[in-house]
Amino acid sequence: MAPAQKKQKLEMCQMKLKSMATEKKQKLLKNKRAKYQDLDQSMKEDLLTKKMNYRQTMGEKQKEKYLENRRAKYQDLDQSMKDDLLTKNRNYKQTIGEEQKEKLLENRRAKYNAMDILMK
């Protein structure tokens, strides 16, 4: 699909969702959840892997555009939402389990060691 057509289709979907009644949105989400629940485990893992690796596989221009969109969304938030988000981010380490903390530390160590090699 051409980028212009894809963009137009996405905009149409966004407008459709914005104008949709809440009951209809809830029904749509319920159907999506049911479809996901019906997937076999390998399909779920593939889907999750694809989502996790999305940012790592995109090009530099896409990354920059993605970050710009995230910045714009953050700037559009009202101050109370920003405060809630900052509090949530600050308290993240306290809410995760020990296994997740260890995994996070291992990932940071590996990233630091890779940076050290590149700096030499």
PDB file of all heavy atoms in Angstrom, residues 2-33:
ATOM      1  N   ALA A   2       0.537   2.211  -0.791  1.00  0.00           N
ATOM      2  CA  ALA A   2       1.301   3.447  -0.887  1.00  0.00           C
ATOM      3  C   ALA A   2       1.201   4.226   0.429  1.00  0.00           C
ATOM      4  O   ALA A   2       0.172   4.169   1.110  1.00  0.00           O
ATOM      5  CB  ALA A   2       0.784   4.300  -2.040  1.00  0.00           C
ATOM      6  N   PRO A   3       2.258   4.942   0.804  1.00  0.00           N
ATOM      7  CA  PRO A   3       2.234   5.688   2.067  1.00  0.00           C
ATOM      8  C   PRO A   3       1.079   6.685   2.170  1.00  0.00           C
ATOM      9  O   PRO A   3       0.482   6.847   3.236  1.00  0.00           O
ATOM     10  CB  PRO A   3       3.576   6.404   2.086  1.00  0.00           C
ATOM     11  CG  PRO A   3       4.457   5.604   1.209  1.00  0.00           C
ATOM     12  CD  PRO A   3       3.572   5.014   0.163  1.00  0.00           C
ATOM     13  N   ALA A   4       0.759   7.339   1.061  1.00  0.00           N
ATOM     14  CA  ALA A   4      -0.342   8.315   1.096  1.00  0.00           C
ATOM     15  C   ALA A   4      -1.673   7.620   1.371  1.00  0.00           C
ATOM     16  O   ALA A   4      -2.495   8.112   2.162  1.00  0.00           O
ATOM     17  CB  ALA A   4      -0.403   9.080  -0.219  1.00  0.00           C
ATOM     18  N   GLN A   5      -1.880   6.478   0.734  1.00  0.00           N
ATOM     19  CA  GLN A   5      -3.120   5.730   0.956  1.00  0.00           C
ATOM     20  C   GLN A   5      -3.188   5.209   2.375  1.00  0.00           C
ATOM     21  O   GLN A   5      -4.245   5.229   3.015  1.00  0.00           O
ATOM     22  CB  GLN A   5      -3.215   4.561  -0.021  1.00  0.00           C
ATOM     23  CG  GLN A   5      -3.474   4.948  -1.452  1.00  0.00           C
ATOM     24  CD  GLN A   5      -3.444   3.735  -2.366  1.00  0.00           C
ATOM     25  OE1 GLN A   5      -2.741   2.767  -2.105  1.00  0.00           O
ATOM     26  NE2 GLN A   5      -4.214   3.806  -3.443  1.00  0.00           N
ATOM     27  N   LYS A   6      -2.052   4.730   2.876  1.00  0.00           N
ATOM     28  CA  LYS A   6      -2.010   4.214   4.238  1.00  0.00           C
ATOM     29  C   LYS A   6      -2.339   5.313   5.240  1.00  0.00           C
ATOM     30  O   LYS A   6      -3.123   5.113   6.164  1.00  0.00           O
ATOM     31  CB  LYS A   6      -0.619   3.641   4.518  1.00  0.00           C
ATOM     32  CG  LYS A   6      -0.494   2.942   5.838  1.00  0.00           C
ATOM     33  CD  LYS A   6       0.875   2.330   5.978  1.00  0.00           C
ATOM     34  CE  LYS A   6       1.012   1.592   7.288  1.00  0.00           C
ATOM     35  NZ  LYS A   6       2.336   0.983   7.431  1.00  0.00           N
ATOM     36  N   LYS A   7      -1.745   6.493   5.042  1.00  0.00           N
ATOM     37  CA  LYS A   7      -1.998   7.617   5.934  1.00  0.00           C
ATOM     38  C   LYS A   7      -3.474   8.012   5.904  1.00  0.00           C
ATOM     39  O   LYS A   7      -4.086   8.263   6.935  1.00  0.00           O
ATOM     40  CB  LYS A   7      -1.122   8.801   5.533  1.00  0.00           C
ATOM     41  CG  LYS A   7      -1.225   9.966   6.476  1.00  0.00           C
ATOM     42  CD  LYS A   7      -0.265  11.068   6.099  1.00  0.00           C
ATOM     43  CE  LYS A   7      -0.383  12.216   7.067  1.00  0.00           C
ATOM     44  NZ  LYS A   7       0.535  13.299   6.727  1.00  0.00           N
ATOM     45  N   GLN A   8      -4.033   8.048   4.704  1.00  0.00           N
ATOM     46  CA  GLN A   8      -5.440   8.411   4.559  1.00  0.00           C
ATOM     47  C   GLN A   8      -6.334   7.389   5.260  1.00  0.00           C
ATOM     48  O   GLN A   8      -7.280   7.757   5.965  1.00  0.00           O
ATOM     49  CB  GLN A   8      -5.801   8.498   3.082  1.00  0.00           C
ATOM     50  CG  GLN A   8      -7.219   8.960   2.824  1.00  0.00           C
ATOM     51  CD  GLN A   8      -7.546   9.027   1.337  1.00  0.00           C
ATOM     52  OE1 GLN A   8      -6.819   8.495   0.509  1.00  0.00           O
ATOM     53  NE2 GLN A   8      -8.644   9.667   1.009  1.00  0.00           N
ATOM     54  N   LYS A   9      -6.011   6.121   5.112  1.00  0.00           N
ATOM     55  CA  LYS A   9      -6.807   5.073   5.749  1.00  0.00           C
ATOM     56  C   LYS A   9      -6.719   5.175   7.272  1.00  0.00           C
ATOM     57  O   LYS A   9      -7.729   5.040   7.972  1.00  0.00           O
ATOM     58  CB  LYS A   9      -6.327   3.700   5.285  1.00  0.00           C
ATOM     59  CG  LYS A   9      -7.179   2.565   5.773  1.00  0.00           C
ATOM     60  CD  LYS A   9      -6.762   1.244   5.168  1.00  0.00           C
ATOM     61  CE  LYS A   9      -7.680   0.144   5.675  1.00  0.00           C
ATOM     62  NZ  LYS A   9      -7.388  -1.128   5.057  1.00  0.00           N
ATOM     63  N   LEU A  10      -5.511   5.422   7.792  1.00  0.00           N
ATOM     64  CA  LEU A  10      -5.343   5.570   9.234  1.00  0.00           C
ATOM     65  C   LEU A  10      -6.120   6.774   9.775  1.00  0.00           C
ATOM     66  O   LEU A  10      -6.735   6.706  10.837  1.00  0.00           O
ATOM     67  CB  LEU A  10      -3.865   5.693   9.586  1.00  0.00           C
ATOM     68  CG  LEU A  10      -3.050   4.416   9.472  1.00  0.00           C
ATOM     69  CD1 LEU A  10      -1.570   4.720   9.675  1.00  0.00           C
ATOM     70  CD2 LEU A  10      -3.512   3.372  10.463  1.00  0.00           C
ATOM     71  N   GLU A  11      -6.087   7.876   9.035  1.00  0.00           N
ATOM     72  CA  GLU A  11      -6.832   9.068   9.456  1.00  0.00           C
ATOM     73  C   GLU A  11      -8.332   8.791   9.475  1.00  0.00           C
ATOM     74  O   GLU A  11      -9.042   9.240  10.371  1.00  0.00           O
ATOM     75  CB  GLU A  11      -6.509  10.239   8.534  1.00  0.00           C
ATOM     76  CG  GLU A  11      -5.131  10.811   8.762  1.00  0.00           C
ATOM     77  CD  GLU A  11      -4.762  11.882   7.751  1.00  0.00           C
ATOM     78  OE1 GLU A  11      -5.559  12.155   6.821  1.00  0.00           O
ATOM     79  OE2 GLU A  11      -3.665  12.455   7.890  1.00  0.00           O
ATOM     80  N   MET A  12      -8.812   8.050   8.470  1.00  0.00           N
ATOM     81  CA  MET A  12     -10.237   7.702   8.429  1.00  0.00           C
ATOM     82  C   MET A  12     -10.611   6.836   9.622  1.00  0.00           C
ATOM     83  O   MET A  12     -11.657   7.042  10.250  1.00  0.00           O
ATOM     84  CB  MET A  12     -10.576   6.993   7.118  1.00  0.00           C
ATOM     85  CG  MET A  12     -10.605   7.928   5.923  1.00  0.00           C
ATOM     86  SD  MET A  12     -10.905   7.079   4.348  1.00  0.00           S
ATOM     87  CE  MET A  12     -12.337   6.095   4.690  1.00  0.00           C
ATOM     88  N   CYS A  13      -9.746   5.884   9.972  1.00  0.00           N
ATOM     89  CA  CYS A  13     -10.006   5.021  11.124  1.00  0.00           C
ATOM     90  C   CYS A  13     -10.030   5.827  12.418  1.00  0.00           C
ATOM     91  O   CYS A  13     -10.875   5.592  13.286  1.00  0.00           O
ATOM     92  CB  CYS A  13      -8.959   3.920  11.209  1.00  0.00           C
ATOM     93  SG  CYS A  13      -9.133   2.651   9.947  1.00  0.00           S
ATOM     94  N   GLN A  14      -9.094   6.778  12.555  1.00  0.00           N
ATOM     95  CA  GLN A  14      -9.068   7.618  13.750  1.00  0.00           C
ATOM     96  C   GLN A  14     -10.332   8.452  13.870  1.00  0.00           C
ATOM     97  O   GLN A  14     -10.907   8.573  14.951  1.00  0.00           O
ATOM     98  CB  GLN A  14      -7.846   8.529  13.723  1.00  0.00           C
ATOM     99  CG  GLN A  14      -6.555   7.816  14.014  1.00  0.00           C
ATOM    100  CD  GLN A  14      -5.360   8.735  13.914  1.00  0.00           C
ATOM    101  OE1 GLN A  14      -5.436   9.813  13.345  1.00  0.00           O
ATOM    102  NE2 GLN A  14      -4.239   8.291  14.456  1.00  0.00           N
ATOM    103  N   MET A  15     -10.761   9.041  12.771  1.00  0.00           N
ATOM    104  CA  MET A  15     -11.977   9.851  12.786  1.00  0.00           C
ATOM    105  C   MET A  15     -13.193   8.985  13.127  1.00  0.00           C
ATOM    106  O   MET A  15     -14.078   9.407  13.875  1.00  0.00           O
ATOM    107  CB  MET A  15     -12.185  10.540  11.442  1.00  0.00           C
ATOM    108  CG  MET A  15     -11.147  11.610  11.136  1.00  0.00           C
ATOM    109  SD  MET A  15     -11.117  12.918  12.366  1.00  0.00           S
ATOM    110  CE  MET A  15     -12.694  13.670  12.052  1.00  0.00           C
ATOM    111  N   LYS A  16     -13.214   7.782  12.589  1.00  0.00           N
ATOM    112  CA  LYS A  16     -14.316   6.860  12.849  1.00  0.00           C
ATOM    113  C   LYS A  16     -14.362   6.508  14.338  1.00  0.00           C
ATOM    114  O   LYS A  16     -15.435   6.499  14.950  1.00  0.00           O
ATOM    115  CB  LYS A  16     -14.130   5.601  12.003  1.00  0.00           C
ATOM    116  CG  LYS A  16     -15.295   4.677  11.991  1.00  0.00           C
ATOM    117  CD  LYS A  16     -15.023   3.519  11.026  1.00  0.00           C
ATOM    118  CE  LYS A  16     -16.156   2.547  10.975  1.00  0.00           C
ATOM    119  NZ  LYS A  16     -15.876   1.414  10.073  1.00  0.00           N
ATOM    120  N   LEU A  17     -13.191   6.238  14.934  1.00  0.00           N
ATOM    121  CA  LEU A  17     -13.149   5.912  16.355  1.00  0.00           C
ATOM    122  C   LEU A  17     -13.546   7.092  17.228  1.00  0.00           C
ATOM    123  O   LEU A  17     -14.202   6.925  18.247  1.00  0.00           O
ATOM    124  CB  LEU A  17     -11.758   5.433  16.746  1.00  0.00           C
ATOM    125  CG  LEU A  17     -11.455   3.967  16.477  1.00  0.00           C
ATOM    126  CD1 LEU A  17      -9.993   3.674  16.740  1.00  0.00           C
ATOM    127  CD2 LEU A  17     -12.316   3.070  17.324  1.00  0.00           C
ATOM    128  N   LYS A  18     -13.127   8.303  16.841  1.00  0.00           N
ATOM    129  CA  LYS A  18     -13.468   9.484  17.629  1.00  0.00           C
ATOM    130  C   LYS A  18     -14.965   9.752  17.642  1.00  0.00           C
ATOM    131  O   LYS A  18     -15.526  10.184  18.642  1.00  0.00           O
ATOM    132  CB  LYS A  18     -12.731  10.712  17.099  1.00  0.00           C
ATOM    133  CG  LYS A  18     -11.269  10.734  17.449  1.00  0.00           C
ATOM    134  CD  LYS A  18     -10.607  11.970  16.914  1.00  0.00           C
ATOM    135  CE  LYS A  18      -9.116  11.961  17.224  1.00  0.00           C
ATOM    136  NZ  LYS A  18      -8.428  13.131  16.682  1.00  0.00           N
ATOM    137  N   SER A  19     -15.613   9.479  16.520  1.00  0.00           N
ATOM    138  CA  SER A  19     -17.039   9.762  16.433  1.00  0.00           C
ATOM    139  C   SER A  19     -17.902   8.599  16.909  1.00  0.00           C
ATOM    140  O   SER A  19     -19.123   8.742  17.040  1.00  0.00           O
ATOM    141  CB  SER A  19     -17.407  10.121  14.987  1.00  0.00           C
ATOM    142  OG  SER A  19     -17.160   9.027  14.133  1.00  0.00           O
ATOM    143  N   MET A  20     -17.300   7.460  17.196  1.00  0.00           N
ATOM    144  CA  MET A  20     -18.043   6.263  17.591  1.00  0.00           C
ATOM    145  C   MET A  20     -18.553   6.387  19.027  1.00  0.00           C
ATOM    146  O   MET A  20     -17.896   6.973  19.888  1.00  0.00           O
ATOM    147  CB  MET A  20     -17.105   5.052  17.468  1.00  0.00           C
ATOM    148  CG  MET A  20     -17.782   3.718  17.588  1.00  0.00           C
ATOM    149  SD  MET A  20     -16.593   2.354  17.497  1.00  0.00           S
ATOM    150  CE  MET A  20     -16.031   2.490  15.826  1.00  0.00           C
ATOM    151  N   ALA A  21     -19.720   5.833  19.277  1.00  0.00           N
ATOM    152  CA  ALA A  21     -20.291   5.836  20.625  1.00  0.00           C
ATOM    153  C   ALA A  21     -19.462   4.930  21.536  1.00  0.00           C
ATOM    154  O   ALA A  21     -18.835   3.977  21.082  1.00  0.00           O
ATOM    155  CB  ALA A  21     -21.733   5.341  20.575  1.00  0.00           C
ATOM    156  N   THR A  22     -19.463   5.231  22.843  1.00  0.00           N
ATOM    157  CA  THR A  22     -18.630   4.472  23.778  1.00  0.00           C
ATOM    158  C   THR A  22     -19.041   3.011  23.859  1.00  0.00           C
ATOM    159  O   THR A  22     -18.194   2.140  24.011  1.00  0.00           O
ATOM    160  CB  THR A  22     -18.681   5.103  25.179  1.00  0.00           C
ATOM    161  OG1 THR A  22     -20.034   5.199  25.595  1.00  0.00           O
ATOM    162  CG2 THR A  22     -18.038   6.466  25.183  1.00  0.00           C
ATOM    163  N   GLU A  23     -20.345   2.735  23.749  1.00  0.00           N
ATOM    164  CA  GLU A  23     -20.793   1.349  23.805  1.00  0.00           C
ATOM    165  C   GLU A  23     -20.230   0.553  22.631  1.00  0.00           C
ATOM    166  O   GLU A  23     -19.807  -0.591  22.772  1.00  0.00           O
ATOM    167  CB  GLU A  23     -22.330   1.263  23.769  1.00  0.00           C
ATOM    168  CG  GLU A  23     -23.028   1.912  24.935  1.00  0.00           C
ATOM    169  CD  GLU A  23     -23.265   3.394  24.699  1.00  0.00           C
ATOM    170  OE1 GLU A  23     -23.325   3.836  23.536  1.00  0.00           O
ATOM    171  OE2 GLU A  23     -23.395   4.116  25.694  1.00  0.00           O
ATOM    172  N   LYS A  24     -20.218   1.204  21.487  1.00  0.00           N
ATOM    173  CA  LYS A  24     -19.708   0.539  20.289  1.00  0.00           C
ATOM    174  C   LYS A  24     -18.198   0.317  20.402  1.00  0.00           C
ATOM    175  O   LYS A  24     -17.686  -0.729  20.004  1.00  0.00           O
ATOM    176  CB  LYS A  24     -20.029   1.381  19.060  1.00  0.00           C
ATOM    177  CG  LYS A  24     -20.038   0.621  17.774  1.00  0.00           C
ATOM    178  CD  LYS A  24     -20.621   1.454  16.654  1.00  0.00           C
ATOM    179  CE  LYS A  24     -20.757   0.606  15.404  1.00  0.00           C
ATOM    180  NZ  LYS A  24     -21.343   1.356  14.306  1.00  0.00           N
ATOM    181  N   LYS A  25     -17.476   1.302  20.982  1.00  0.00           N
ATOM    182  CA  LYS A  25     -16.045   1.151  21.195  1.00  0.00           C
ATOM    183  C   LYS A  25     -15.757  -0.014  22.143  1.00  0.00           C
ATOM    184  O   LYS A  25     -14.859  -0.814  21.906  1.00  0.00           O
ATOM    185  CB  LYS A  25     -15.444   2.426  21.792  1.00  0.00           C
ATOM    186  CG  LYS A  25     -15.232   3.543  20.831  1.00  0.00           C
ATOM    187  CD  LYS A  25     -14.578   4.710  21.548  1.00  0.00           C
ATOM    188  CE  LYS A  25     -14.541   5.934  20.688  1.00  0.00           C
ATOM    189  NZ  LYS A  25     -13.988   7.098  21.401  1.00  0.00           N
ATOM    190  N   GLN A  26     -16.537  -0.097  23.218  1.00  0.00           N
ATOM    191  CA  GLN A  26     -16.343  -1.173  24.182  1.00  0.00           C
ATOM    192  C   GLN A  26     -16.604  -2.532  23.537  1.00  0.00           C
ATOM    193  O   GLN A  26     -15.883  -3.501  23.788  1.00  0.00           O
ATOM    194  CB  GLN A  26     -17.242  -0.965  25.391  1.00  0.00           C
ATOM    195  CG  GLN A  26     -16.784   0.174  26.264  1.00  0.00           C
ATOM    196  CD  GLN A  26     -17.737   0.444  27.409  1.00  0.00           C
ATOM    197  OE1 GLN A  26     -18.866  -0.044  27.423  1.00  0.00           O
ATOM    198  NE2 GLN A  26     -17.278   1.230  28.365  1.00  0.00           N
ATOM    199  N   LYS A  27     -17.613  -2.600  22.692  1.00  0.00           N
ATOM    200  CA  LYS A  27     -17.921  -3.848  22.004  1.00  0.00           C
ATOM    201  C   LYS A  27     -16.778  -4.234  21.066  1.00  0.00           C
ATOM    202  O   LYS A  27     -16.384  -5.400  20.993  1.00  0.00           O
ATOM    203  CB  LYS A  27     -19.225  -3.706  21.220  1.00  0.00           C
ATOM    204  CG  LYS A  27     -19.703  -4.973  20.578  1.00  0.00           C
ATOM    205  CD  LYS A  27     -21.028  -4.773  19.864  1.00  0.00           C
ATOM    206  CE  LYS A  27     -21.471  -6.052  19.187  1.00  0.00           C
ATOM    207  NZ  LYS A  27     -22.721  -5.886  18.446  1.00  0.00           N
ATOM    208  N   LEU A  28     -16.212  -3.243  20.374  1.00  0.00           N
ATOM    209  CA  LEU A  28     -15.102  -3.473  19.471  1.00  0.00           C
ATOM    210  C   LEU A  28     -13.883  -3.993  20.232  1.00  0.00           C
ATOM    211  O   LEU A  28     -13.239  -4.968  19.816  1.00  0.00           O
ATOM    212  CB  LEU A  28     -14.753  -2.180  18.726  1.00  0.00           C
ATOM    213  CG  LEU A  28     -13.666  -2.243  17.683  1.00  0.00           C
ATOM    214  CD1 LEU A  28     -14.127  -3.078  16.498  1.00  0.00           C
ATOM    215  CD2 LEU A  28     -13.315  -0.843  17.206  1.00  0.00           C
ATOM    216  N   LEU A  29     -13.581  -3.368  21.371  1.00  0.00           N
ATOM    217  CA  LEU A  29     -12.457  -3.813  22.188  1.00  0.00           C
ATOM    218  C   LEU A  29     -12.687  -5.214  22.743  1.00  0.00           C
ATOM    219  O   LEU A  29     -11.765  -6.023  22.818  1.00  0.00           O
ATOM    220  CB  LEU A  29     -12.207  -2.827  23.328  1.00  0.00           C
ATOM    221  CG  LEU A  29     -11.611  -1.483  22.926  1.00  0.00           C
ATOM    222  CD1 LEU A  29     -11.575  -0.539  24.117  1.00  0.00           C
ATOM    223  CD2 LEU A  29     -10.231  -1.667  22.349  1.00  0.00           C
ATOM    224  N   LYS A  30     -13.913  -5.492  23.121  1.00  0.00           N
ATOM    225  CA  LYS A  30     -14.250  -6.821  23.640  1.00  0.00           C
ATOM    226  C   LYS A  30     -14.017  -7.884  22.567  1.00  0.00           C
ATOM    227  O   LYS A  30     -13.465  -8.954  22.837  1.00  0.00           O
ATOM    228  CB  LYS A  30     -15.703  -6.834  24.099  1.00  0.00           C
ATOM    229  CG  LYS A  30     -16.132  -8.100  24.775  1.00  0.00           C
ATOM    230  CD  LYS A  30     -17.586  -8.010  25.249  1.00  0.00           C
ATOM    231  CE  LYS A  30     -18.030  -9.298  25.880  1.00  0.00           C
ATOM    232  NZ  LYS A  30     -19.432  -9.240  26.293  1.00  0.00           N
ATOM    233  N   ASN A  31     -14.403  -7.578  21.336  1.00  0.00           N
ATOM    234  CA  ASN A  31     -14.191  -8.515  20.235  1.00  0.00           C
ATOM    235  C   ASN A  31     -12.703  -8.725  19.968  1.00  0.00           C
ATOM    236  O   ASN A  31     -12.264  -9.853  19.705  1.00  0.00           O
ATOM    237  CB  ASN A  31     -14.893  -8.031  18.964  1.00  0.00           C
ATOM    238  CG  ASN A  31     -16.396  -8.113  19.052  1.00  0.00           C
ATOM    239  OD1 ASN A  31     -16.937  -8.832  19.880  1.00  0.00           O
ATOM    240  ND2 ASN A  31     -17.074  -7.346  18.227  1.00  0.00           N
ATOM    241  N   LYS A  32     -11.915  -7.646  20.026  1.00  0.00           N
ATOM    242  CA  LYS A  32     -10.472  -7.767  19.821  1.00  0.00           C
ATOM    243  C   LYS A  32      -9.839  -8.623  20.906  1.00  0.00           C
ATOM    244  O   LYS A  32      -8.962  -9.438  20.643  1.00  0.00           O
ATOM    245  CB  LYS A  32      -9.819  -6.386  19.778  1.00  0.00           C
ATOM    246  CG  LYS A  32     -10.042  -5.649  18.487  1.00  0.00           C
ATOM    247  CD  LYS A  32      -9.257  -4.361  18.457  1.00  0.00           C
ATOM    248  CE  LYS A  32      -9.451  -3.653  17.127  1.00  0.00           C
ATOM    249  NZ  LYS A  32      -8.596  -2.473  17.003  1.00  0.00           N
ATOM    250  N   ARG A  33     -10.275  -8.421  22.155  1.00  0.00           N
ATOM    251  CA  ARG A  33      -9.760  -9.230  23.263  1.00  0.00           C
ATOM    252  C   ARG A  33     -10.097 -10.700  23.054  1.00  0.00           C
ATOM    253  O   ARG A  33      -9.259 -11.576  23.285  1.00  0.00           O
ATOM    254  CB  ARG A  33     -10.334  -8.754  24.590  1.00  0.00           C
ATOM    255  CG  ARG A  33      -9.539  -7.658  25.215  1.00  0.00           C
ATOM    256  CD  ARG A  33     -10.016  -7.353  26.627  1.00  0.00           C
ATOM    257  NE  ARG A  33     -10.202  -5.915  26.716  1.00  0.00           N
ATOM    258  CZ  ARG A  33     -11.362  -5.290  26.822  1.00  0.00           C
ATOM    259  NH1 ARG A  33     -12.475  -5.959  26.906  1.00  0.00           N
ATOM    260  NH2 ARG A  33     -11.410  -3.989  26.871  1.00  0.00           N
TER     261      ARG A  33
END
